[in-house]
mmCIF file of all heavy atoms in Angstrom:
data_model
loop_
_atom_site.group_PDB
_atom_site.id
_atom_site.type_symbol
_atom_site.label_atom_id
_atom_site.label_comp_id
_atom_site.label_asym_id
_atom_site.label_seq_id
_atom_site.Cartn_x
_atom_site.Cartn_y
_atom_site.Cartn_z
ATOM 1 N N PRO A 39 3.342 2.848 -13.807
ATOM 2 C CA PRO A 39 3.999 1.527 -13.045
ATOM 3 C C PRO A 39 2.749 0.438 -13.150
ATOM 4 O O PRO A 39 1.586 0.700 -13.010
ATOM 5 C CB PRO A 39 3.997 2.028 -11.580
ATOM 6 C CG PRO A 39 3.025 3.186 -11.492
ATOM 7 C CD PRO A 39 3.085 3.785 -12.879
ATOM 8 N N ASN A 40 3.212 -0.760 -13.490
ATOM 9 C CA ASN A 40 2.385 -1.907 -13.520
ATOM 10 C C ASN A 40 2.424 -2.765 -12.242
ATOM 11 O O ASN A 40 3.555 -2.808 -11.705
ATOM 12 C CB ASN A 40 2.663 -2.779 -14.738
ATOM 13 C CG ASN A 40 2.196 -2.201 -15.997
ATOM 14 O OD1 ASN A 40 1.052 -2.116 -16.263
ATOM 15 N ND2 ASN A 40 3.185 -1.883 -16.903
ATOM 16 N N GLY A 41 1.311 -3.203 -11.756
ATOM 17 C CA GLY A 41 1.321 -4.086 -10.567
ATOM 18 C C GLY A 41 0.570 -3.362 -9.532
ATOM 19 O O GLY A 41 -0.396 -2.636 -9.696
ATOM 20 N N LEU A 42 1.108 -3.570 -8.201
ATOM 21 C CA LEU A 42 0.451 -3.007 -7.003
ATOM 22 C C LEU A 42 0.638 -1.491 -6.988
ATOM 23 O O LEU A 42 1.906 -1.014 -6.765
ATOM 24 C CB LEU A 42 1.057 -3.673 -5.813
ATOM 25 C CG LEU A 42 0.332 -3.319 -4.413
ATOM 26 C CD1 LEU A 42 -1.173 -3.602 -4.498
ATOM 27 C CD2 LEU A 42 0.980 -3.844 -3.306
ATOM 28 N N GLN A 43 -0.332 -0.632 -7.189
ATOM 29 C CA GLN A 43 -0.227 0.834 -7.172
ATOM 30 C C GLN A 43 -0.513 1.358 -5.808
ATOM 31 O O GLN A 43 -0.071 2.438 -5.436
ATOM 32 C CB GLN A 43 -1.050 1.480 -8.283
ATOM 33 C CG GLN A 43 -0.481 1.150 -9.687
ATOM 34 C CD GLN A 43 -1.290 1.802 -10.788
ATOM 35 O OE1 GLN A 43 -2.410 2.326 -10.589
ATOM 36 N NE2 GLN A 43 -0.661 2.017 -11.858
ATOM 37 N N VAL A 44 -1.584 0.810 -5.248
ATOM 38 C CA VAL A 44 -1.993 1.202 -3.814
ATOM 39 C C VAL A 44 -2.144 -0.084 -3.005
ATOM 40 O O VAL A 44 -2.885 -0.915 -3.403
ATOM 41 C CB VAL A 44 -3.313 2.014 -3.843
ATOM 42 C CG1 VAL A 44 -3.839 2.411 -2.453
ATOM 43 C CG2 VAL A 44 -3.216 3.249 -4.746
ATOM 44 N N GLU A 45 -1.543 -0.081 -1.848
ATOM 45 C CA GLU A 45 -1.623 -1.356 -0.965
ATOM 46 C C GLU A 45 -2.752 -1.164 0.058
ATOM 47 O O GLU A 45 -2.878 -0.169 0.784
ATOM 48 C CB GLU A 45 -0.302 -1.435 -0.180
ATOM 49 C CG GLU A 45 -0.138 -2.707 0.575
ATOM 50 C CD GLU A 45 1.156 -2.845 1.259
ATOM 51 O OE1 GLU A 45 1.996 -1.977 1.155
ATOM 52 O OE2 GLU A 45 1.443 -3.911 1.942
ATOM 53 N N GLY A 46 -3.527 -2.246 0.174
ATOM 54 C CA GLY A 46 -4.621 -2.336 1.035
ATOM 55 C C GLY A 46 -4.436 -3.510 2.040
ATOM 56 O O GLY A 46 -3.274 -3.755 2.462
ATOM 57 N N ARG A 47 -5.435 -4.138 2.405
ATOM 58 C CA ARG A 47 -5.367 -5.206 3.505
ATOM 59 C C ARG A 47 -4.492 -6.320 2.934
ATOM 60 O O ARG A 47 -4.371 -6.650 1.787
ATOM 61 C CB ARG A 47 -6.715 -5.743 3.949
ATOM 62 C CG ARG A 47 -7.660 -6.245 2.783
ATOM 63 C CD ARG A 47 -8.985 -6.564 3.235
ATOM 64 N NE ARG A 47 -9.762 -5.363 3.654
ATOM 65 C CZ ARG A 47 -10.699 -4.789 2.954
ATOM 66 N NH1 ARG A 47 -10.912 -5.268 1.697
ATOM 67 N NH2 ARG A 47 -11.341 -3.695 3.323
ATOM 68 N N PRO A 48 -3.837 -7.147 3.901
ATOM 69 C CA PRO A 48 -2.892 -8.165 3.415
ATOM 70 C C PRO A 48 -3.464 -9.439 2.991
ATOM 71 O O PRO A 48 -2.782 -10.188 2.370
ATOM 72 C CB PRO A 48 -2.089 -8.345 4.777
ATOM 73 C CG PRO A 48 -3.046 -8.036 5.884
ATOM 74 C CD PRO A 48 -3.812 -6.841 5.446
ATOM 75 N N GLN A 49 -4.708 -9.627 3.209
ATOM 76 C CA GLN A 49 -5.385 -10.819 2.753
ATOM 77 C C GLN A 49 -6.378 -10.610 1.675
ATOM 78 O O GLN A 49 -7.134 -9.557 1.772
ATOM 79 C CB GLN A 49 -5.965 -11.618 3.823
ATOM 80 C CG GLN A 49 -4.957 -12.120 4.871
ATOM 81 C CD GLN A 49 -4.099 -13.257 4.214
ATOM 82 O OE1 GLN A 49 -4.675 -14.222 3.706
ATOM 83 N NE2 GLN A 49 -2.841 -13.180 4.469
ATOM 84 N N VAL A 50 -6.692 -11.454 0.708
ATOM 85 C CA VAL A 50 -7.503 -11.179 -0.401
ATOM 86 C C VAL A 50 -8.445 -12.329 -0.610
ATOM 87 O O VAL A 50 -8.037 -13.523 -0.638
ATOM 88 C CB VAL A 50 -6.774 -11.007 -1.692
ATOM 89 C CG1 VAL A 50 -7.623 -10.898 -2.898
ATOM 90 C CG2 VAL A 50 -5.816 -9.818 -1.591
ATOM 91 N N SER A 51 -9.695 -12.114 -0.767
ATOM 92 C CA SER A 51 -10.720 -13.087 -1.017
ATOM 93 C C SER A 51 -11.667 -12.713 -2.082
ATOM 94 O O SER A 51 -12.210 -13.579 -2.844
ATOM 95 C CB SER A 51 -11.504 -13.573 0.281
ATOM 96 O OG SER A 51 -12.231 -12.412 0.693
ATOM 97 N N ARG A 52 -11.765 -11.424 -2.324
ATOM 98 C CA ARG A 52 -12.691 -10.986 -3.397
ATOM 99 C C ARG A 52 -12.025 -9.898 -4.245
ATOM 100 O O ARG A 52 -11.438 -8.913 -3.709
ATOM 101 C CB ARG A 52 -13.921 -10.311 -2.829
ATOM 102 C CG ARG A 52 -14.947 -9.894 -3.806
ATOM 103 C CD ARG A 52 -16.287 -9.444 -3.122
ATOM 104 N NE ARG A 52 -16.846 -10.540 -2.409
ATOM 105 C CZ ARG A 52 -17.835 -10.431 -1.591
ATOM 106 N NH1 ARG A 52 -18.247 -9.201 -1.181
ATOM 107 N NH2 ARG A 52 -18.368 -11.551 -1.017
ATOM 108 N N ILE A 53 -12.045 -10.078 -5.558
ATOM 109 C CA ILE A 53 -11.565 -9.151 -6.606
ATOM 110 C C ILE A 53 -12.640 -8.631 -7.380
ATOM 111 O O ILE A 53 -13.500 -9.230 -7.752
ATOM 112 C CB ILE A 53 -10.477 -10.004 -7.597
ATOM 113 C CG1 ILE A 53 -9.402 -10.711 -6.826
ATOM 114 C CG2 ILE A 53 -9.926 -8.956 -8.614
ATOM 115 C CD1 ILE A 53 -8.652 -11.584 -7.710
ATOM 116 N N VAL A 54 -12.460 -7.174 -7.554
ATOM 117 C CA VAL A 54 -13.340 -6.594 -8.442
ATOM 118 C C VAL A 54 -12.480 -6.025 -9.631
ATOM 119 O O VAL A 54 -11.436 -5.540 -9.345
ATOM 120 C CB VAL A 54 -14.040 -5.307 -7.814
ATOM 121 C CG1 VAL A 54 -14.433 -4.347 -8.831
ATOM 122 C CG2 VAL A 54 -15.252 -5.861 -7.076
ATOM 123 N N THR A 55 -12.915 -6.410 -10.837
ATOM 124 C CA THR A 55 -12.210 -5.893 -12.080
ATOM 125 C C THR A 55 -13.040 -4.700 -12.755
ATOM 126 O O THR A 55 -14.162 -4.855 -12.682
ATOM 127 C CB THR A 55 -11.843 -6.993 -13.000
ATOM 128 O OG1 THR A 55 -13.084 -7.654 -13.340
ATOM 129 C CG2 THR A 55 -10.894 -8.020 -12.334
ATOM 130 N N GLY A 56 -12.281 -3.915 -13.486
ATOM 131 C CA GLY A 56 -12.949 -2.860 -14.365
ATOM 132 C C GLY A 56 -11.898 -2.351 -15.217
ATOM 133 O O GLY A 56 -10.662 -2.581 -14.998
ATOM 134 N N VAL A 57 -12.356 -1.584 -16.299
ATOM 135 C CA VAL A 57 -11.532 -1.008 -17.224
ATOM 136 C C VAL A 57 -10.554 -0.015 -16.672
ATOM 137 O O VAL A 57 -9.336 0.070 -16.729
ATOM 138 C CB VAL A 57 -12.209 -0.550 -18.491
ATOM 139 C CG1 VAL A 57 -11.250 0.009 -19.443
ATOM 140 C CG2 VAL A 57 -12.951 -1.689 -19.070
ATOM 141 N N THR A 58 -11.147 0.932 -15.889
ATOM 142 C CA THR A 58 -10.522 2.159 -15.399
ATOM 143 C C THR A 58 -10.788 2.344 -14.031
ATOM 144 O O THR A 58 -11.927 2.213 -13.487
ATOM 145 C CB THR A 58 -10.837 3.391 -16.207
ATOM 146 O OG1 THR A 58 -10.582 3.109 -17.588
ATOM 147 C CG2 THR A 58 -10.275 4.738 -15.645
ATOM 148 N N ALA A 59 -9.813 2.712 -13.225
ATOM 149 C CA ALA A 59 -9.997 2.974 -11.688
ATOM 150 C C ALA A 59 -10.566 4.352 -11.544
ATOM 151 O O ALA A 59 -10.056 5.221 -10.814
ATOM 152 C CB ALA A 59 -8.673 2.809 -11.034
ATOM 153 N N SER A 60 -11.772 4.557 -12.043
ATOM 154 C CA SER A 60 -12.639 5.833 -11.847
ATOM 155 C C SER A 60 -13.178 5.760 -10.507
ATOM 156 O O SER A 60 -13.421 4.784 -9.847
ATOM 157 C CB SER A 60 -13.652 5.908 -12.853
ATOM 158 O OG SER A 60 -14.554 4.851 -12.715
ATOM 159 N N GLN A 61 -13.622 6.952 -10.040
ATOM 160 C CA GLN A 61 -14.369 7.020 -8.826
ATOM 161 C C GLN A 61 -15.620 6.166 -8.790
ATOM 162 O O GLN A 61 -16.001 5.595 -7.809
ATOM 163 C CB GLN A 61 -14.780 8.483 -8.471
ATOM 164 C CG GLN A 61 -15.382 8.700 -7.067
ATOM 165 C CD GLN A 61 -14.291 8.463 -6.058
ATOM 166 O OE1 GLN A 61 -13.173 9.011 -6.081
ATOM 167 N NE2 GLN A 61 -14.633 7.537 -4.974
ATOM 168 N N ALA A 62 -16.280 6.037 -9.929
ATOM 169 C CA ALA A 62 -17.516 5.169 -10.030
ATOM 170 C C ALA A 62 -17.142 3.732 -9.751
ATOM 171 O O ALA A 62 -17.952 3.070 -9.048
ATOM 172 C CB ALA A 62 -18.159 5.316 -11.371
#
């Protein structure tokens, strides 16, 4: 599935990007 896979808080001010959603 592409898009929102896990929903968190309703407001966003900071995005972190990475290649893979690993534990690290």
Side-chain angles (χ1 to χ4, degrees):
N40 287 293
L42 185 62
Q43 293 188 337
V44 179
E45 183 178 2
R47 59 185 68 99
Q49 294 292 310
V50 177
S51 61
R52 181 174 298 168
I53 302 171
V54 160
T55 57
V57 177
T58 299
S60 64
Q61 189 65 51

